[in-house]
Amino acid sequence: MAAFNERGLYDKDARYLFSGKDASIFDSDGELLTTVEAWQGQVNFTNATYQPLGSPIQQEFMTGYAVTLTITQCIVEDDQFIQDVFDFFKNGRHAPMWTFSSVLHGYDGSESRYIFRDCVPTGQLDLHNITVGDIVKRAWNLHVNQPPDLQKVLTLPD
């Protein structure tokens, strides 16, 4: 029986797939955030619907987008991020704002590097999230106030 996806057999090699061990995330000073267990950058597009008179098809056009960054951090110490939040609680001015760089390391020395600038807390933030027998973690939900920047692109080894 022939394969329907002939390209899958020859073009790409499963040895070059990535997992979380191939990634890292850094703060704006270039410090590796070693306590971050997981992160996810997402974009949400907002569209408006348009249906011309006499046409049965609805069309959409983009009216805007929002970028979010979600981070799960294992607690080892009270780092600068949570200190910035508590400083804001005390003075009530200048909500915390951070920049992050996420990197996926390729097998040929290439890397995919995204920059997320002007990230501010949004929604819920875990101050403490403690369960007996589990690692203490803190979930961060951040809104990215600048368009993300793709600084480097992965390549496939020859």
Side-chain angles (χ1 to χ4, degrees):
M1 176 186 224
F4 290 112
N5 181 1
E6 295 293 333
R7 289 187 59 190
L9 295 174
Y10 308 108
D11 283 358
K12 306 299 179 211
D13 191 330
R15 294 176 296 168
Y16 299 114
L17 295 175
F18 298 101
S19 71
K21 68 176 177 46
D22 300 308
S24 51
I25 190 166
F26 301 87
D27 67 12
S28 59
D29 296 327
E31 293 291 322
L32 177 64
L33 302 177
T34 58
T35 60
V36 171
E37 178 183 55
W39 77 91
Q40 180 180 39
Q42 292 187 317
V43 62
N44 181 33
F45 290 95
T46 304
N47 294 335
T49 302
Y50 168 70
Q51 185 174 1
L53 185 63
S55 174
I57 188 167
Q58 291 183 343
Q59 301 172 3
E60 289 190 355
F61 64 96
M62 188 182 73
T63 61
Y65 67 94
V67 178
T68 57
L69 186 61
T70 305
I71 297 173
T72 303
Q73 180 184 35
C74 299
I75 305 305
V76 176
E77 63 182 345
D78 285 332
D79 61 11
Q80 187 60 50
F81 300 117
I82 198 66
Q83 290 176 31
D84 290 348
V85 170
F86 275 87
D87 287 349
F88 170 71
F89 291 162
K90 285 182 185 175
N91 66 34
R93 301 176 66 182
H94 307 294
M97 186 177 295
W98 305 288
T99 295
F100 297 96
S101 174
S102 70
V103 180
L104 185 58
H105 304 276
Y107 294 105
D108 61 351
S110 69
E111 64 183 24
S112 173
R113 182 178 294 266
Y114 294 25
I115 307 297
F116 299 94
R117 292 185 178 85
D118 298 346
C119 301
V120 296
T122 187
Q124 289 185 309
L125 163 67
D126 286 341
L127 297 177
H128 271 168
N129 186 354
I130 300 169
T131 303
V132 172
D134 199 1
I135 295 171
V136 177
K137 298 177 185 178
R138 181 175 291 131
W140 296 85
N141 296 302
L142 305 165
H143 182 85
V144 183
N145 282 327
Q146 295 292 326
D149 185 16
L150 176 61
Q151 288 195 331
K152 293 186 179 178
V153 180
L154 280 173
T155 59
L156 189 63
D158 293 331

